[in-house]
Amino acid sequence: MKKQFFIFMGIFLFLAIGMHITEWFSHPVEHLLALPSAGAYGLGMLHPLIFTLLAYFIFILVSFIGRMIQKTFSK
């Protein structure tokens, strides 16, 4: 469970820094304070969580498919 949490947080940080790198380096506090009024695709302040969950589910799906392929060919 701890491993999955760190994977989730890694995806979150990767997406947050990747999408908003200039804001994080120029004015990070103001960027965080503006989160409640964010208008990302109509999702508002929940957009970081929703996008991270989508990326995490894709990661889990690819991981599951990889394990199934590995299991099939290891027999």
Side-chain angles (χ1 to χ4, degrees):
M1 190 69 159
K2 189 188 297 187
K3 181 180 174 183
Q4 295 300 318
F5 174 73
F6 286 125
I7 290 172
F8 183 83
M9 290 307 296
I11 291 171
F12 176 79
L13 289 174
F14 177 76
L15 291 175
I17 292 171
M19 294 302 295
H20 303 287
I21 194 162
T22 56
E23 290 84 358
W24 283 113
F25 286 122
S26 64
H27 52 279
V29 176
E30 291 86 2
H31 186 66
L32 284 174
L33 293 176
L35 189 58
S37 63
Y41 302 108
L43 299 174
M45 67 183 272
L46 292 177
H47 79 274
L49 180 62
I50 292 170
F51 292 147
T52 303
L53 281 172
L54 286 172
Y56 180 72
F57 287 140
I58 291 170
F59 173 80
I60 294 296
L61 180 65
V62 169
S63 173
F64 177 74
I65 291 171
R67 275 184 273 152
M68 289 296 121
I69 291 172
Q70 183 179 16
K71 191 176 180 181
T72 301
F73 288 116
S74 67
K75 289 184 179 182

